[in-house]
């Protein structure tokens, strides 16, 4: 079986969630969720996950169709206490897929263009992004790395805060902003540059730094330490068990292999 | 005892509402929405409403029907269909005023209203566009730290609409299922809370005393109760029934073709609740809808 780029991304997500703490890991979308599950089953057993509805599970729930009761609750974390328990206590790391991301790590899930009263394109709304961004660790997964996502200047609406000195008010406490990793279909990036600038830290096989820069609307720092590692066979077995229906194969356009054919 | 008999018809509940009011709607996205009461509003001539909701089809339908003056929201979604089509149309046409919030700020505003406070402080919103665009103010800690925070204003409701599994005549409620979201705080933030239910019983202590922990808010917060079997349809009401994805697909399709609500309202809302339930196959068909898998 050829290892796919989706599986390489899942392993990279798992690495982004590596922790020795006990905290809630939330991956929104198949690849982030599989990555959190993989981290929990391998190097980071302290991670806590829900079944996607209300119960905490120690065995991550496989994605895709399953029986409603095919879960073994070990705990309870409904939305009705999510802010009390996970978000506003800082005991969470989430990975999401915003529509736009800018050089400061500010994201947009709200709307594109137009005005507050009349956007050109209405999207989901800010959801929990503002609170996530000010209170706990956050990472991103971007399945199609492009200048449409990684925009020049600033995002159209700031749904979650980033490292932008122009968006600070005197006396505000921004110490909870904790931007970690951005995993895309091209590379892995972090916020380790001067003043938290975004750096490319690993390139997926066959991708060059120039490819990534050309697909990004702002200047990136080249801190490439090597290729993003391929998943191990143990990781691949875990991924297959967490995704028995192959949902991961439908996320990236044309489901490319991890290592491009020459 | 008559004062503690809170039974009303859905039409009597809507008769207690007025145009221009601020209404909170319980549930979350396409889950546990008091849709029978929302449909009754859609059959009424109420207008100019301010709607405060973790939005799903309730928001989309009320926007489509031109009932909404202002919407307070953090998202509007049908989950598996992420973008609510009729809400999107209303927004892109500039038809409604809005206050966009974070999900946590939203419940914080309900709690401020419940506790009769003008606001509650929070860090949420700092560094985002919500504060300036929403006209939210800040407040400084009077203690040594001097921290400046967002003052989340109370989301005071003239009325709240909530759907639960069981009510009794005096307004004792039982909400079952894995998650009741922020229904408790909608009830407490409102001058009057109206509750529809799958099953109305004379006295909860006789009918279901073993489930008293499902009493998520006390009856002093409840003004009126009404039985509405299938009253959350097309949204989910676990463990009773799941959401109706087929219904959501035709509702979403109708936003494109024919694209105008007036020509589909009769089909989407029905002339009466009996009429509506019949149009979706009756209560047995609703009860057979599978629970969603996340």
């Amino acid at each position: 079986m050829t290892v796919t780029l989706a599986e390489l991304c899942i392993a990279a997500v798992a690495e982004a969630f590596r922790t020795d703490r006990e905290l809630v890991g939330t991956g929104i979308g198949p690849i982030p969720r599989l990555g959190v599950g993989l981290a929990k089953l391998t190097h980071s057993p302290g991670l806590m996950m829900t079944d996607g509805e209300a119960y905490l599970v120690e065995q991550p729930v496989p994605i895709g169709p399953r029986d409603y009761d095919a879960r073994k609750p070990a705990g309870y974390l409904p939305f009705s206490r999510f802010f009390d328990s996970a978000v506003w206590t800082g005991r969470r790391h989430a990975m999401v897929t915003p529509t736009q991301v800018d050089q400061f790590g500010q994201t947009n899930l709200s709307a594109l263009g137009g005005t507050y009263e009349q956007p050109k394109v209405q999207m989901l709304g800010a959801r929990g992004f503002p609170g996530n961004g000010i209170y706990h660790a956050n990472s991103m997964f971007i399945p199609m790395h492009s200048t449409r996502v990684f925009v020049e200047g600033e995002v159209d609406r700031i749904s979650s805060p980033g490292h932008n000195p122009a968006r600070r008010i005197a006396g505000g406490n921004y110490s909870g902003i904790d931007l970690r990793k951005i995993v895309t279909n091209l590379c892995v990036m972090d916020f380790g540059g001067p003043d938290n600038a975004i750096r490319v830290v690993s390139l997926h096989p066959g991708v060059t730094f120039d490819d990534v820069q050309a697909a990004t609307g702002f200047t990136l720092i080249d801190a490439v330490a090597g290729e993003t590692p391929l998943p191990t066979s143990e990781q691949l077995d875990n991924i297959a068990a967490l995704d028995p229906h192959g949902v991961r194969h439908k996320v990236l356009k044309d489901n490319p292999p991890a290592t491009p054919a020459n | 005892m008559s004062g503690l008999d809170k039974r009303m018809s859905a039409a009597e509940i809507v008769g207690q509402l007025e145009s221009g009011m601020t209404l909170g709607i319980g549930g979350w996205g396409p889950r546990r929405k008091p849709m029978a009461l929302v449909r009754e509003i859609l059959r009424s001539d109420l207008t100019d409403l301010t709607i405060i909701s973790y939005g799903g089809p309730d928001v989309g339908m009320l926007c489509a029907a031109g009932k909404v003056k202002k919407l307070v929201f953090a998202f509007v979604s049908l989950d598996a269909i992420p973008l609510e089509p009729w809400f999107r149309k209303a927004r892109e046409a500039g038809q409604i005023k809005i206050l966009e919030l974070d999900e946590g700020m939203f419940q914080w505003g309900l709690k401020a209203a419940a506790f009769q406070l003008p606001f509650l402080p929070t860090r949420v919103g700092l560094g985002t566009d919500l504060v300036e665009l929403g006209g939210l103010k800040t407040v400084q800690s009077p203690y040594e730290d001097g921290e400046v925070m967002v003052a989340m204003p109370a989301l005071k409701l003239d009325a709240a609409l909530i759907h639960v599994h069981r009510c009794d005549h005096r307004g004792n409620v039982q909400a079952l299922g894995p998650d009741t979201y922020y229904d408790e705080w909608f009830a407490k933030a409102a001058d009057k809370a109206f509750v529809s239910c799958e099953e109305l019983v004379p006295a909860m202590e006789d009918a279901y005393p073993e489930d008293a922990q499902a009493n998520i808010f006390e009856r002093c917060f409840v003004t009126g109760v009404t039985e509405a079997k299938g009253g959350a349809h097309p949204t989910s009401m676990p463990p009773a029934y799941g959401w109706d994805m087929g219904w959501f697909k035709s509702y979403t399709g109708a936003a494109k073709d024919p694209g105008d609500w007036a020509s589909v309202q009769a089909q989407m809302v029905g002339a009466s609740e009996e009429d509506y339930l019949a149009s979706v196959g009756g209560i047995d068909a609703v009860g057979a809808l599978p629970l969603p898998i996340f």
Side-chain angles (χ1 to χ4, degrees):
Chain A
M1 284 280 283
T2 309
V3 177
T4 64
L5 184 58
E7 289 162 339
L8 176 140
C9 287
I10 292 163
V13 171
E15 192 56 35
F17 275 86
R18 183 185 286 271
T19 184
D20 50 18
R21 293 183 63 204
E22 290 179 73
L23 78 175
V24 177
T26 304
I28 304 291
I31 286 184
R33 181 163 162 181
L34 289 168
V36 179
L38 179 59
K40 178 173 170 57
L41 289 178
T42 53
H43 48 67
S44 301
L47 285 170
M48 306 192 299
M49 292 182 78
T50 73
D51 62 347
E53 190 171 21
Y55 295 102
L56 287 164
V57 291
E58 293 298 350
Q59 176 61 39
V61 175
I63 64 172
R66 60 177 166 86
D67 289 341
Y68 183 74
D69 291 320
R71 57 182 171 196
K72 289 168 68 181
Y76 184 49
L77 182 58
F79 285 20
S80 56
R81 65 187 210 206
F82 217 86
F83 302 103
D84 312 351
S85 298
V87 182
W88 293 6
T89 60
R91 287 196 168 267
R92 188 188 191 211
H93 181 179
M95 180 179 272
V96 296
T97 298
T99 307
Q100 292 181 321
V101 182
D102 66 24
Q103 61 192 305
F104 307 108
Q106 299 175 137
T107 72
N108 178 13
L109 195 67
S110 294
L112 297 174
T115 62
Y116 187 64
E117 294 75 20
Q118 184 172 10
K120 185 160 181 289
V121 179
Q122 173 66 47
M123 301 183 303
L124 206 51
R127 282 223 58 184
F129 277 32
N132 296 353
I134 202 78
Y135 268 117
H136 64 61
N138 288 282
S139 293
M140 304 172 207
F141 172 67
I142 304 297
M144 181 75 88
H145 193 132
S146 79
T147 53
R148 291 166 61 96
V149 177
F150 293 103
V151 297
E152 195 180 348
E154 275 191 288
V155 292
D156 289 7
R157 306 283 192 287
I158 306 170
S159 304
S160 68
H163 298 288
N164 183 359
R167 301 284 176 180
R168 296 284 185 271
I169 56 169
N173 185 333
Y174 299 88
S175 62
I177 297 177
D178 183 8
L179 294 170
R180 299 282 180 86
K181 292 284 194 333
I182 305 175
V183 177
T184 82
N185 60 319
L186 298 181
C187 66
V188 178
M189 302 188 284
D190 73 6
F191 292 82
D195 300 321
N196 304 105
I198 299 179
R199 314 184 300 179
V200 181
V201 293
S202 76
L203 294 162
H204 301 345
V207 178
T208 67
F209 178 82
D210 289 345
D211 294 338
V212 177
Q213 182 60 73
T216 305
F218 49 85
T219 304
L220 294 167
I221 295 170
D222 184 348
V224 174
E227 249 182 24
T228 313
L230 291 168
T232 64
S233 59
E234 183 206 358
Q235 287 180 313
L236 288 169
D237 290 346
N238 276 308
I239 292 168
L242 290 171
D243 181 20
H245 304 284
V247 176
R248 65 191 180 283
H249 300 315
K250 298 178 187 109
V251 176
L252 298 176
K253 186 173 183 299
D254 303 328
N255 190 31
T259 306
N262 288 317
Chain B
M1 189 63 198
S2 62
L4 281 182
D5 186 348
K6 298 176 182 171
R7 285 176 292 169
M8 295 180 179
S9 69
E12 285 168 336
I13 287 173
V14 171
Q16 294 224 355
L17 309 178
E18 292 169 23
S19 292
M21 273 188 169
T22 297
L23 304 183
I25 303 178
W28 180 280
R31 316 181 197 181
R32 305 182 79 103
K33 285 289 176 180
M35 294 305 293
L37 295 177
V38 170
R39 283 187 285 271
E40 202 60 34
I41 291 175
L42 289 163
R43 294 179 199 116
S44 77
D45 54 12
L46 285 175
T47 187
D48 279 333
L49 300 171
T50 293
I51 298 295
I52 299 186
S53 175
Y54 288 104
D58 52 331
V59 167
M61 293 168 84
L62 291 167
C63 285
K67 300 288 194 193
V68 182
K69 178 179 69 183
K70 182 176 180 181
L71 176 69
V72 179
F73 74 107
F75 62 84
V76 185
S77 179
L78 305 176
D79 276 13
I81 302 171
L83 302 177
E84 218 289 352
W86 293 92
F87 159 70
R88 200 171 185 186
K89 274 172 83 90
R91 285 284 287 138
E92 291 171 8
Q95 282 174 3
I96 52 172
K97 296 180 181 174
I98 61 158
L99 175 62
E100 183 175 355
L101 298 173
D102 161 270
E103 291 166 12
M105 294 171 94
F106 184 121
Q107 54 100 30
W108 209 223
L110 293 176
K111 287 176 178 169
F115 303 145
Q116 305 173 68
L117 297 170
F119 67 88
L120 280 168
T122 178
R123 285 179 194 157
V124 181
L126 290 179
T128 76
D129 272 338
L130 299 188
V131 176
E132 195 174 333
L133 294 177
L136 303 179
K137 311 282 193 207
T138 57
V139 63
Q140 184 170 19
S141 166
Y143 297 104
E144 285 170 19
D145 57 271
E147 182 175 342
V148 175
M149 293 160 283
V150 175
M152 177 59 213
L155 295 174
K156 188 82 188 127
L157 310 175
D158 292 312
L161 308 176
I162 293 162
H163 188 68
V164 301
H165 295 85
R166 303 161 181 161
C167 288
D168 75 8
H169 294 184
R170 293 168 299 191
N172 291 302
V173 306
Q174 288 187 352
L176 310 176
D179 196 349
T180 57
Y181 306 101
Y182 290 92
D183 286 5
E184 168 186 1
W185 299 101
F186 279 97
K188 293 176 182 171
D191 288 342
K192 294 180 176 181
F194 298 100
V195 185
S196 58
C197 61
E198 296 291 323
E199 182 186 7
L200 184 65
V201 299
M204 202 64 89
E205 68 273 30
D206 296 330
Y208 295 107
E210 68 281 11
D211 292 329
Q213 287 185 20
N215 180 225
I216 56 170
F217 48 86
E218 301 73 17
R219 67 171 162 78
C220 56
F221 299 105
V222 177
T223 295
V225 297
T226 194
E227 186 172 88
K229 287 189 194 300
H233 186 278
T235 70
S236 64
M237 196 62 193
Y241 46 88
W243 58 43
D244 190 338
M245 194 44 64
W247 195 97
F248 284 145
K249 282 181 179 161
S250 44
Y251 168 80
T252 299
K256 281 208 174 103
D257 177 20
D260 104 277
W261 182 254
S263 60
V264 295
Q265 166 149 337
Q267 175 202 339
M268 299 289 171
V269 177
S272 66
E273 202 55 19
E274 296 70 33
D275 184 37
Y276 175 81
L277 273 181
S279 80
V280 298
I283 189 63
D284 291 343
V286 173
L289 288 165
L291 297 175
I293 306 294
F294 295 94

